[in-house]
DNA sequence: GTCGTGTCGAACCGAGCGGTTCGATTGGCT
DNA sequence: AGCCAATCGAACCGCTCGGTTCGACACGAC
């Protein structure tokens, strides 16, 4: 409501960029610092077992400050997942549109996808999200949409293009995209989610599974 | 160490069958009753949020009695999962060895598998197991072995037989079996685990996905 | 009938929880 | 220099947790 000149805005922005006194709960550095600590604790203890005290200690922040930045534990966790989603799932999509034959592009996509979904960090995140999905259904849905659904969407578009170009014959884009994702993580993701496999799959295994996934996929859908 | 005549054993067994005073913590009916109540509570609250008090109430049993039957919460949960594993995964395997063409048998197997893994009860059980897998790694492994690994084993055997019979050409049985399981639950299981889909898939959807799974599988591995 | 024992139920324990409060401290701002 | 607000840190709140204890009770064994 208060009137500000353009001048004022510019000055403020400049000051912020360096070292400014922030309003309570509005220092983005501190906020990030809290999230980093919280991530460590959540990831190694799970949602319920992680106490706000541990998170304070891990983040190097007083409890009072913590509650200035986040309303409560759930709020903190939602903000955390919201931040992580993007880190996790960026930088894979462009593999689909890169140069190369269909095989090469699908292979690159499958490998990126498997590598990402099977990484220790993402596995643990997925476990925690699943464990609270009953209490926080929105969180689960948003997480899924940002991850799996996003992969599926890109693939869906790719398949339609290739079908229109006559390279592939895909009667059901949704299904085919989902099949591809499943094939790419065959034998690894599920076992890792249940703790049946403790270590990340090796690069060789990822490539092997991805290659076979592409082979099977094209055996069915190649024109 | 104590000596007993055959007579004694028989008498005891007969008495037990009807209405006998059981030693503390050894009445199988009561034990089952506790597990039923515990299942209800665990399933709708998760491991951490489920309190022993709620479980007592749900089971209609006093807290003292509960702790006579089970050492602690973890012990109770392990016993519960142990009991449920068998209920969940029985009665599907024989579909593979039934009569019919390969297509028919694979289809039946895929449908049974998808139906089972996607049922509300099993989804919830899987969520809970995954949520505690960090703290109780054995439990996760045993659950996986009783479920997914069991499916895979049967399929593995089937594929070898068919390959030896010349019907299929499968270079890597492990991989192919895993691929089949993934294909059978395409688009349903993962989304349900993350709460992205609230309702069990319909029989029609299960059959559709299963059919496409078999089609793709045979497109790759049929001799 | 009376004894023995498995169950009940409620009180109880110490610990830890999420969340709040408040005085002391610090370091940018004017 | 002196103000002021963001942060600190420790104590504190009410509550619930997993787990224990114990006297009352009910019922099968003899």
């Amino acid at each position: 409501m208060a009137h500000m000149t353009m001048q004022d805005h510019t000055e403020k922005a400049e000051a912020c960029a360096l070292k400014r006194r922030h309003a309570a709960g509005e220092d983005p550095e501190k906020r990030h610092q809290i999230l980093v600590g919280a991530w460590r604790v959540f990831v190694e203890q799970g949602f319920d077992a992680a106490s706000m005290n541990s998170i304070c200690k891990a983040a190097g922040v007083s409890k009072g400050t913590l509650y200035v930045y986040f309303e409560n534990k759930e709020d903190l966790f939602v903000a955390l997942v919201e931040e992580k989603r993007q880190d996790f799932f960026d930088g894979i999509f462009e593999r689909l549109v890169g140069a190369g034959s269909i095989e090469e592009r699908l292979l690159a996509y499958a490998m990126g996808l498997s590598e990402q979904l099977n990484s220790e960090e993402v596995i643990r995140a997925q476990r925690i999200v699943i464990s609270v999905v009953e209490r926080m259904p929105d969180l689960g849905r948003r997480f899924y949409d940002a991850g799996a659904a996003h992969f599926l969407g890109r693939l869906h578009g790719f398949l339609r293009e290739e079908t229109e170009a006559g390279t592939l014959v895909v009667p059901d884009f949704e299904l085919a995209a989902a099949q591809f994702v499943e094939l790419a993580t065959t034998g690894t993701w599920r076992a890792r989610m249940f703790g049946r496999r403790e270590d990340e799959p090796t690069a060789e295994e990822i490539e092997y599974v991805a290659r076979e996934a592409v082979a099977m996929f094209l055996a069915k859908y190649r024109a």
Side-chain angles (χ1 to χ4, degrees), chain A residues 71-143:
Chain A
E71 264 192 20
N72 52 43
K73 193 170 164 181
E74 186 171 321
D75 182 40
L76 170 59
F77 183 65
V78 169
L80 182 56
V81 172
E82 213 73 15
E83 197 200 51
K84 283 285 172 187
R85 289 193 315 184
Q86 295 155 10
D87 302 357
F88 286 167
F89 303 120
D90 273 4
I92 303 180
F93 305 120
E94 67 272 11
R95 301 200 195 197
L96 258 189
V97 297
S101 63
I102 297 196
E103 280 98 332
E104 287 167 344
R105 280 186 284 169
L106 284 179
L107 179 65
Y109 195 63
M111 286 174 60
L113 204 150
S114 170
E115 200 178 317
Q116 192 64 271
L117 287 179
N118 282 308
S119 75
E120 188 63 27
E121 208 180 21
V122 177
I123 287 285
R124 294 175 109 111
Q126 290 174 118
R127 283 207 200 109
I128 302 178
V129 170
I130 284 180
S131 79
V132 298
V133 94
E134 211 105 12
R135 270 171 293 175
M136 303 156 64
D138 279 359
L139 183 76
R141 282 208 299 272
R142 286 208 304 268
F143 189 83

